[in-house]
Amino acid sequence: MKLLSLILLAMVGGGSLINFVLCAVDKCAAKAERRRIPEKRFFWVALLGGGPGLWLGMRCFHHKTLHRSFWLAAVGTTLLYGAALLWIALRMGGML
């Protein structure tokens, strides 16, 4: 169980960092009217643990904040991974 929690934490941390950087890069590309990052890429990274980074990137860069699908991806995957980590912590007696 401890290994599983470490894997999930690594997925959330790494995925969040990637999605946060993707938000920054895509926002710069949007301002410069350059080629943009496909929305599917944000969603796949969120599904692999990057929901919190997507959420933070949306807030920090005011990027894609009006897109309902982005809010659902960010919040939904954050809640999913948060619930999984909570479940693991409870199964281990309250310890991650």
Side-chain angles (χ1 to χ4, degrees):
M1 278 291 195
K2 191 165 190 155
L3 178 61
L4 181 59
S5 65
L6 291 175
I7 291 170
L8 284 176
L9 284 172
M11 287 174 64
V12 170
S16 292
L17 180 63
I18 291 168
N19 243 349
F20 185 80
V21 170
L22 284 176
C23 282
V25 169
D26 195 49
K27 183 65 174 190
C28 287
K31 285 183 176 182
E33 296 181 7
R34 289 184 309 204
R35 188 167 182 218
R36 307 282 301 278
I37 296 172
E39 292 183 355
K40 281 195 274 187
R41 188 159 303 153
F42 290 101
F43 297 141
W44 277 111
V45 175
L47 190 61
L48 296 173
L54 178 58
W55 202 352
L56 188 61
M58 289 170 65
R59 298 292 305 213
C60 287
F61 305 114
H62 304 286
H63 190 56
K64 305 246 185 222
T65 55
L66 299 178
H67 296 268
R68 180 172 289 199
S69 59
F70 274 80
W71 278 109
L72 290 173
V75 174
T77 56
T78 299
L79 292 175
L80 176 72
Y81 279 91
L85 287 168
L86 179 63
W87 180 77
I88 291 170
L90 293 174
R91 297 266 305 172
M92 293 178 62
M95 298 181 65
L96 280 174

